[in-house]
Amino acid sequence: MSVTSFRNVAMAVAWRGFRQSVGSPAFFVSMLMFPLFLFGALIGGLSQVRDIPRFDFAGDYASFQFVFVLLQSAAAGGALTGIAIAIDFQTGFARRLLLASPNRGGIVAGAVLVAIQQAVAIWVVLVAVGLIGGMRVGGSGVDMFGLFGLALLVNVAATLWAAGIAMRIRSLQASPVMQMPVLMVFFLAPVFVPIGLLTGWIHAVAQINPVTALLNAGRGLISGQPEVVALAFGIAVALVVLMALWARGGLRSAETAS
């Protein structure tokens, strides 16, 4: 019975999120605009960076940056899902949902499903734009499956992080707390060039930044020369587990407040 109620609540939340996305195309377009703009700006304005000596990436600059935009959009989409949860608390809907749900863990699972379906829709557009723009993919089907699997884990971890914040603060005032750490951790990784070309403090930070391993693994997969894949998936799975515990604590906080 508990498993059934968990599934029913999760699917109800996910279906509501899907209907909101379909009924509000402006919201989806707003989610899509930043990764598209970022992708276009990076491969358009910085494509000559590929010619720098010791730029040791096997693919072209478009595929190099595609991995960054893919993973960053996965994380940013998760944070936006947390903002939607905060809005639901501010309007009172989330409190009513907590009271009506027989298994409240399904609310968090439903939010994760909403984030995944929105992320996949954005990724379809990103892939189409990249291929139309001449992006070369050297990886096999298995490699690409691994790349999008990694992005999926990043999306889930970011959603759980933002959900934990939203359910603790239960207000749109939590929006910067959800978004800023996600943005900072990505832009303190090797964004424009491989880590070997970074210098100074940014190189030191990038070396200990877990996102660096995710980017290196993703770029290896898209170029057909996989590297640190096991490490990247280990980091991504560990993040999902930690953020699941964080979201569970947020849910308990919301239950107490309700």
Side-chain angles (χ1 to χ4, degrees):
M1 183 67 178
S2 178
V3 174
T4 301
S5 61
F6 177 90
R7 183 176 63 248
N8 290 342
V9 171
M11 294 307 297
V13 172
W15 177 244
R16 175 177 178 265
F18 175 75
R19 286 188 301 170
Q20 286 179 327
S21 298
V22 173
S24 179
F27 177 71
F28 175 73
V29 171
S30 67
M31 290 181 64
L32 180 62
M33 288 306 295
F34 180 70
L36 279 180
F37 171 79
L38 184 62
F39 189 36
L42 289 173
I43 66 174
L46 298 171
S47 58
Q48 298 303 313
V49 173
R50 180 68 181 82
D51 299 327
I52 293 176
R54 297 191 300 115
F55 195 107
D56 57 349
F57 177 67
D60 61 356
Y61 198 66
S63 60
F64 182 84
Q65 289 299 353
F66 175 81
V67 173
F68 171 76
V69 175
L70 176 72
L71 296 182
Q72 195 277 334
S73 70
L80 287 174
T81 301
I83 292 174
I85 296 173
I87 292 173
D88 282 342
F89 273 107
Q90 199 158 280
T91 59
F93 174 81
R95 291 183 176 86
R96 296 193 298 272
L97 184 62
L98 282 169
L99 293 173
S101 299
N103 193 321
R104 292 163 177 172
I107 297 174
V108 178
V112 169
L113 292 175
V114 172
I116 290 173
Q117 67 188 14
Q118 291 173 342
V120 170
I122 290 172
W123 297 344
V124 169
V125 178
L126 281 177
V127 170
V129 170
L131 294 176
I132 291 171
M135 179 179 73
R136 296 195 302 271
V137 177
S140 66
V142 173
D143 292 332
M144 297 307 294
F145 181 82
L147 172 59
F148 285 99
L150 195 61
L152 186 67
L153 290 173
V154 170
N155 178 256
V156 172
T159 303
L160 293 171
W161 155 258
I165 296 291
M167 291 186 290
R168 282 174 170 85
I169 301 179
R170 298 179 291 279
S171 167
L172 271 177
Q173 294 178 358
S175 299
V177 185
M178 299 180 208
Q179 293 179 296
M180 288 306 297
V182 172
L183 290 174
M184 288 180 63
V185 75
F186 269 87
F187 282 97
L188 291 175
V191 178
F192 307 110
V193 295
I195 189 170
L197 293 176
L198 297 178
T199 59
W201 67 268
I202 187 65
H203 180 266
V205 172
Q207 282 188 308
I208 60 174
N209 187 346
V211 172
T212 298
L214 303 181
L215 290 174
N216 288 343
R219 287 164 174 166
L221 289 167
I222 200 170
S223 65
Q225 297 184 2
E227 59 173 310
V228 298
V229 174
L231 173 62
F233 272 93
I235 290 171
V237 170
L239 285 173
V240 169
V241 172
L242 288 173
M243 292 304 105
L245 295 174
W246 169 254
R248 183 180 179 185
L251 181 59
R252 288 177 174 174
S253 175
E255 288 173 338
T256 301
S258 298

mmCIF file of all heavy atoms in Angstrom, residues 118-153:
data_model
loop_
_atom_site.group_PDB
_atom_site.id
_atom_site.type_symbol
_atom_site.label_atom_id
_atom_site.label_comp_id
_atom_site.label_asym_id
_atom_site.label_seq_id
_atom_site.Cartn_x
_atom_site.Cartn_y
_atom_site.Cartn_z
ATOM 1 N N GLN A 118 11.341 18.143 -18.180
ATOM 2 C CA GLN A 118 11.691 19.460 -18.725
ATOM 3 C C GLN A 118 13.115 19.460 -19.268
ATOM 4 O O GLN A 118 13.388 20.046 -20.323
ATOM 5 C CB GLN A 118 11.527 20.520 -17.632
ATOM 6 C CG GLN A 118 10.075 20.768 -17.249
ATOM 7 C CD GLN A 118 9.924 21.700 -16.060
ATOM 8 O OE1 GLN A 118 10.881 21.921 -15.307
ATOM 9 N NE2 GLN A 118 8.737 22.244 -15.877
ATOM 10 N N ALA A 119 14.036 18.789 -18.547
ATOM 11 C CA ALA A 119 15.425 18.725 -18.988
ATOM 12 C C ALA A 119 15.540 17.997 -20.321
ATOM 13 O O ALA A 119 16.271 18.438 -21.222
ATOM 14 C CB ALA A 119 16.283 18.038 -17.928
ATOM 15 N N VAL A 120 14.839 16.893 -20.456
ATOM 16 C CA VAL A 120 14.906 16.122 -21.704
ATOM 17 C C VAL A 120 14.410 16.950 -22.878
ATOM 18 O O VAL A 120 15.003 16.929 -23.970
ATOM 19 C CB VAL A 120 14.094 14.813 -21.572
ATOM 20 C CG1 VAL A 120 13.946 14.130 -22.928
ATOM 21 C CG2 VAL A 120 14.772 13.861 -20.584
ATOM 22 N N ALA A 121 13.343 17.705 -22.673
ATOM 23 C CA ALA A 121 12.826 18.557 -23.742
ATOM 24 C C ALA A 121 13.867 19.602 -24.163
ATOM 25 O O ALA A 121 14.065 19.866 -25.358
ATOM 26 C CB ALA A 121 11.542 19.249 -23.291
ATOM 27 N N ILE A 122 14.561 20.182 -23.199
ATOM 28 C CA ILE A 122 15.601 21.171 -23.497
ATOM 29 C C ILE A 122 16.768 20.506 -24.216
ATOM 30 O O ILE A 122 17.321 21.057 -25.181
ATOM 31 C CB ILE A 122 16.073 21.853 -22.198
ATOM 32 C CG1 ILE A 122 14.963 22.766 -21.659
ATOM 33 C CG2 ILE A 122 17.360 22.653 -22.428
ATOM 34 C CD1 ILE A 122 15.248 23.342 -20.297
ATOM 35 N N TRP A 123 17.153 19.300 -23.776
ATOM 36 C CA TRP A 123 18.280 18.608 -24.398
ATOM 37 C C TRP A 123 18.003 18.267 -25.860
ATOM 38 O O TRP A 123 18.910 18.317 -26.690
ATOM 39 C CB TRP A 123 18.614 17.337 -23.620
ATOM 40 C CG TRP A 123 19.049 17.602 -22.211
ATOM 41 C CD1 TRP A 123 19.456 18.810 -21.698
ATOM 42 C CD2 TRP A 123 19.090 16.680 -21.130
ATOM 43 N NE1 TRP A 123 19.756 18.679 -20.368
ATOM 44 C CE2 TRP A 123 19.536 17.399 -19.984
ATOM 45 C CE3 TRP A 123 18.785 15.326 -21.007
ATOM 46 C CZ2 TRP A 123 19.703 16.780 -18.751
ATOM 47 C CZ3 TRP A 123 18.945 14.707 -19.779
ATOM 48 C CH2 TRP A 123 19.400 15.432 -18.664
ATOM 49 N N VAL A 124 16.772 17.925 -26.171
ATOM 50 C CA VAL A 124 16.417 17.629 -27.565
ATOM 51 C C VAL A 124 16.687 18.851 -28.441
ATOM 52 O O VAL A 124 17.267 18.740 -29.534
ATOM 53 C CB VAL A 124 14.938 17.199 -27.671
ATOM 54 C CG1 VAL A 124 14.492 17.161 -29.123
ATOM 55 C CG2 VAL A 124 14.738 15.826 -27.029
ATOM 56 N N VAL A 125 16.297 20.022 -27.958
ATOM 57 C CA VAL A 125 16.526 21.247 -28.720
ATOM 58 C C VAL A 125 18.022 21.547 -28.817
ATOM 59 O O VAL A 125 18.529 21.923 -29.877
ATOM 60 C CB VAL A 125 15.784 22.435 -28.071
ATOM 61 C CG1 VAL A 125 16.058 23.725 -28.845
ATOM 62 C CG2 VAL A 125 14.285 22.161 -28.031
ATOM 63 N N LEU A 126 18.759 21.370 -27.715
ATOM 64 C CA LEU A 126 20.196 21.638 -27.715
ATOM 65 C C LEU A 126 20.929 20.737 -28.710
ATOM 66 O O LEU A 126 21.815 21.195 -29.443
ATOM 67 C CB LEU A 126 20.774 21.434 -26.316
ATOM 68 C CG LEU A 126 20.559 22.549 -25.297
ATOM 69 C CD1 LEU A 126 21.133 22.143 -23.943
ATOM 70 C CD2 LEU A 126 21.191 23.845 -25.768
ATOM 71 N N VAL A 127 20.572 19.466 -28.721
ATOM 72 C CA VAL A 127 21.203 18.530 -29.660
ATOM 73 C C VAL A 127 20.915 18.948 -31.093
ATOM 74 O O VAL A 127 21.817 18.967 -31.950
ATOM 75 C CB VAL A 127 20.721 17.091 -29.405
ATOM 76 C CG1 VAL A 127 21.173 16.162 -30.528
ATOM 77 C CG2 VAL A 127 21.257 16.572 -28.070
ATOM 78 N N ALA A 128 19.662 19.292 -31.364
ATOM 79 C CA ALA A 128 19.292 19.704 -32.720
ATOM 80 C C ALA A 128 20.070 20.945 -33.147
ATOM 81 O O ALA A 128 20.610 21.005 -34.261
ATOM 82 C CB ALA A 128 17.789 19.962 -32.797
ATOM 83 N N VAL A 129 20.165 21.922 -32.259
ATOM 84 C CA VAL A 129 20.894 23.154 -32.577
ATOM 85 C C VAL A 129 22.371 22.849 -32.796
ATOM 86 O O VAL A 129 23.000 23.371 -33.731
ATOM 87 C CB VAL A 129 20.720 24.186 -31.444
ATOM 88 C CG1 VAL A 129 21.668 25.369 -31.630
ATOM 89 C CG2 VAL A 129 19.278 24.679 -31.399
ATOM 90 N N GLY A 130 22.940 21.999 -31.942
ATOM 91 C CA GLY A 130 24.347 21.646 -32.081
ATOM 92 C C GLY A 130 24.638 20.953 -33.399
ATOM 93 O O GLY A 130 25.606 21.290 -34.088
ATOM 94 N N LEU A 131 23.813 19.996 -33.768
ATOM 95 C CA LEU A 131 24.039 19.260 -35.013
ATOM 96 C C LEU A 131 23.830 20.145 -36.233
ATOM 97 O O LEU A 131 24.585 20.066 -37.212
ATOM 98 C CB LEU A 131 23.113 18.038 -35.070
ATOM 99 C CG LEU A 131 23.393 16.945 -34.024
ATOM 100 C CD1 LEU A 131 22.356 15.835 -34.130
ATOM 101 C CD2 LEU A 131 24.807 16.385 -34.183
ATOM 102 N N ILE A 132 22.815 21.005 -36.173
ATOM 103 C CA ILE A 132 22.587 21.936 -37.278
ATOM 104 C C ILE A 132 23.780 22.891 -37.418
ATOM 105 O O ILE A 132 24.177 23.271 -38.520
ATOM 106 C CB ILE A 132 21.277 22.729 -37.067
ATOM 107 C CG1 ILE A 132 20.071 21.789 -37.202
ATOM 108 C CG2 ILE A 132 21.167 23.886 -38.058
ATOM 109 C CD1 ILE A 132 18.756 22.415 -36.800
ATOM 110 N N GLY A 133 24.358 23.255 -36.280
ATOM 111 C CA GLY A 133 25.496 24.156 -36.292
ATOM 112 C C GLY A 133 26.815 23.494 -36.645
ATOM 113 O O GLY A 133 27.857 24.160 -36.649
ATOM 114 N N GLY A 134 26.802 22.182 -36.948
ATOM 115 C CA GLY A 134 28.006 21.495 -37.384
ATOM 116 C C GLY A 134 28.796 20.813 -36.290
ATOM 117 O O GLY A 134 29.954 20.439 -36.503
ATOM 118 N N MET A 135 28.211 20.653 -35.118
ATOM 119 C CA MET A 135 28.914 19.968 -34.032
ATOM 120 C C MET A 135 29.234 18.527 -34.434
ATOM 121 O O MET A 135 28.370 17.812 -34.932
ATOM 122 C CB MET A 135 28.048 19.967 -32.769
ATOM 123 C CG MET A 135 28.672 19.263 -31.575
ATOM 124 S SD MET A 135 27.600 19.345 -30.119
ATOM 125 C CE MET A 135 26.296 18.165 -30.568
ATOM 126 N N ARG A 136 30.477 18.116 -34.208
ATOM 127 C CA ARG A 136 30.895 16.749 -34.529
ATOM 128 C C ARG A 136 30.843 15.883 -33.278
ATOM 129 O O ARG A 136 31.358 16.267 -32.229
ATOM 130 C CB ARG A 136 32.309 16.741 -35.115
ATOM 131 C CG ARG A 136 32.421 17.464 -36.442
ATOM 132 C CD ARG A 136 33.724 17.130 -37.155
ATOM 133 N NE ARG A 136 34.892 17.457 -36.350
ATOM 134 C CZ ARG A 136 35.502 18.640 -36.369
ATOM 135 N NH1 ARG A 136 35.023 19.610 -37.131
ATOM 136 N NH2 ARG A 136 36.572 18.848 -35.628
ATOM 137 N N VAL A 137 30.226 14.726 -33.422
ATOM 138 C CA VAL A 137 30.115 13.773 -32.319
ATOM 139 C C VAL A 137 30.977 12.565 -32.649
ATOM 140 O O VAL A 137 30.684 11.816 -33.582
ATOM 141 C CB VAL A 137 28.647 13.347 -32.098
ATOM 142 C CG1 VAL A 137 28.565 12.302 -30.979
ATOM 143 C CG2 VAL A 137 27.793 14.568 -31.757
ATOM 144 N N GLY A 138 32.046 12.371 -31.901
ATOM 145 C CA GLY A 138 32.940 11.243 -32.145
ATOM 146 C C GLY A 138 32.614 10.018 -31.334
ATOM 147 O O GLY A 138 33.107 8.930 -31.620
ATOM 148 N N GLY A 139 31.772 10.177 -30.317
ATOM 149 C CA GLY A 139 31.437 9.061 -29.438
ATOM 150 C C GLY A 139 30.426 8.117 -30.066
ATOM 151 O O GLY A 139 29.651 8.493 -30.956
ATOM 152 N N SER A 140 30.427 6.883 -29.585
ATOM 153 C CA SER A 140 29.468 5.877 -30.045
ATOM 154 C C SER A 140 28.123 6.086 -29.357
ATOM 155 O O SER A 140 27.964 6.960 -28.499
ATOM 156 C CB SER A 140 29.999 4.486 -29.721
ATOM 157 O OG SER A 140 30.063 4.297 -28.311
ATOM 158 N N GLY A 141 27.158 5.243 -29.721
ATOM 159 C CA GLY A 141 25.859 5.302 -29.070
ATOM 160 C C GLY A 141 25.958 5.052 -27.581
ATOM 161 O O GLY A 141 25.272 5.703 -26.774
ATOM 162 N N VAL A 142 26.822 4.135 -27.197
ATOM 163 C CA VAL A 142 27.033 3.843 -25.770
ATOM 164 C C VAL A 142 27.626 5.052 -25.063
ATOM 165 O O VAL A 142 27.229 5.403 -23.942
ATOM 166 C CB VAL A 142 27.941 2.610 -25.599
ATOM 167 C CG1 VAL A 142 28.296 2.398 -24.134
ATOM 168 C CG2 VAL A 142 27.257 1.375 -26.162
ATOM 169 N N ASP A 143 28.576 5.700 -25.722
ATOM 170 C CA ASP A 143 29.185 6.902 -25.141
ATOM 171 C C ASP A 143 28.147 7.997 -24.917
ATOM 172 O O ASP A 143 28.121 8.653 -23.863
ATOM 173 C CB ASP A 143 30.287 7.438 -26.061
ATOM 174 C CG ASP A 143 31.492 6.527 -26.132
ATOM 175 O OD1 ASP A 143 31.743 5.800 -25.149
ATOM 176 O OD2 ASP A 143 32.176 6.530 -27.177
ATOM 177 N N MET A 144 27.277 8.201 -25.896
ATOM 178 C CA MET A 144 26.269 9.245 -25.765
ATOM 179 C C MET A 144 25.235 8.888 -24.710
ATOM 180 O O MET A 144 24.727 9.761 -23.991
ATOM 181 C CB MET A 144 25.596 9.488 -27.122
ATOM 182 C CG MET A 144 26.554 10.007 -28.199
ATOM 183 S SD MET A 144 27.475 11.478 -27.661
ATOM 184 C CE MET A 144 26.156 12.658 -27.510
ATOM 185 N N PHE A 145 24.930 7.605 -24.599
ATOM 186 C CA PHE A 145 24.025 7.156 -23.530
ATOM 187 C C PHE A 145 24.646 7.496 -22.177
ATOM 188 O O PHE A 145 23.958 7.956 -21.252
ATOM 189 C CB PHE A 145 23.784 5.651 -23.656
ATOM 190 C CG PHE A 145 22.840 5.105 -22.621
ATOM 191 C CD1 PHE A 145 21.470 5.206 -22.777
ATOM 192 C CD2 PHE A 145 23.331 4.488 -21.476
ATOM 193 C CE1 PHE A 145 20.603 4.709 -21.818
ATOM 194 C CE2 PHE A 145 22.473 3.980 -20.511
ATOM 195 C CZ PHE A 145 21.101 4.106 -20.685
ATOM 196 N N GLY A 146 25.951 7.271 -22.060
ATOM 197 C CA GLY A 146 26.645 7.600 -20.825
ATOM 198 C C GLY A 146 26.634 9.093 -20.543
ATOM 199 O O GLY A 146 26.443 9.525 -19.402
ATOM 200 N N LEU A 147 26.830 9.903 -21.582
ATOM 201 C CA LEU A 147 26.833 11.357 -21.412
ATOM 202 C C LEU A 147 25.489 11.850 -20.888
ATOM 203 O O LEU A 147 25.425 12.628 -19.924
ATOM 204 C CB LEU A 147 27.161 12.030 -22.743
ATOM 205 C CG LEU A 147 27.027 13.563 -22.786
ATOM 206 C CD1 LEU A 147 27.942 14.222 -21.766
ATOM 207 C CD2 LEU A 147 27.326 14.079 -24.187
ATOM 208 N N PHE A 148 24.402 11.397 -21.501
ATOM 209 C CA PHE A 148 23.082 11.863 -21.067
ATOM 210 C C PHE A 148 22.679 11.231 -19.734
ATOM 211 O O PHE A 148 21.929 11.832 -18.966
ATOM 212 C CB PHE A 148 22.039 11.602 -22.153
ATOM 213 C CG PHE A 148 22.147 12.566 -23.297
ATOM 214 C CD1 PHE A 148 22.807 12.220 -24.471
ATOM 215 C CD2 PHE A 148 21.618 13.839 -23.197
ATOM 216 C CE1 PHE A 148 22.930 13.120 -25.516
ATOM 217 C CE2 PHE A 148 21.737 14.751 -24.241
ATOM 218 C CZ PHE A 148 22.396 14.390 -25.407
ATOM 219 N N GLY A 149 23.194 10.042 -19.451
ATOM 220 C CA GLY A 149 22.967 9.458 -18.136
ATOM 221 C C GLY A 149 23.627 10.287 -17.047
ATOM 222 O O GLY A 149 23.061 10.501 -15.966
ATOM 223 N N LEU A 150 24.822 10.787 -17.338
ATOM 224 C CA LEU A 150 25.523 11.664 -16.397
ATOM 225 C C LEU A 150 24.745 12.961 -16.187
ATOM 226 O O LEU A 150 24.585 13.432 -15.049
ATOM 227 C CB LEU A 150 26.921 11.959 -16.944
ATOM 228 C CG LEU A 150 27.958 12.555 -15.989
ATOM 229 C CD1 LEU A 150 28.233 11.625 -14.826
ATOM 230 C CD2 LEU A 150 29.249 12.840 -16.748
ATOM 231 N N ALA A 151 24.249 13.525 -17.277
ATOM 232 C CA ALA A 151 23.451 14.754 -17.178
ATOM 233 C C ALA A 151 22.173 14.510 -16.371
ATOM 234 O O ALA A 151 21.739 15.377 -15.598
ATOM 235 C CB ALA A 151 23.098 15.260 -18.578
ATOM 236 N N LEU A 152 21.584 13.344 -16.534
ATOM 237 C CA LEU A 152 20.374 13.008 -15.794
ATOM 238 C C LEU A 152 20.641 12.974 -14.290
ATOM 239 O O LEU A 152 19.851 13.502 -13.486
ATOM 240 C CB LEU A 152 19.849 11.644 -16.264
ATOM 241 C CG LEU A 152 18.504 11.207 -15.692
ATOM 242 C CD1 LEU A 152 17.388 12.108 -16.190
ATOM 243 C CD2 LEU A 152 18.218 9.761 -16.073
ATOM 244 N N LEU A 153 21.758 12.387 -13.897
ATOM 245 C CA LEU A 153 22.118 12.341 -12.477
ATOM 246 C C LEU A 153 22.351 13.748 -11.927
ATOM 247 O O LEU A 153 21.955 14.051 -10.792
ATOM 248 C CB LEU A 153 23.359 11.476 -12.276
ATOM 249 C CG LEU A 153 23.177 9.971 -12.496
ATOM 250 C CD1 LEU A 153 24.523 9.252 -12.442
ATOM 251 C CD2 LEU A 153 22.226 9.384 -11.444
#
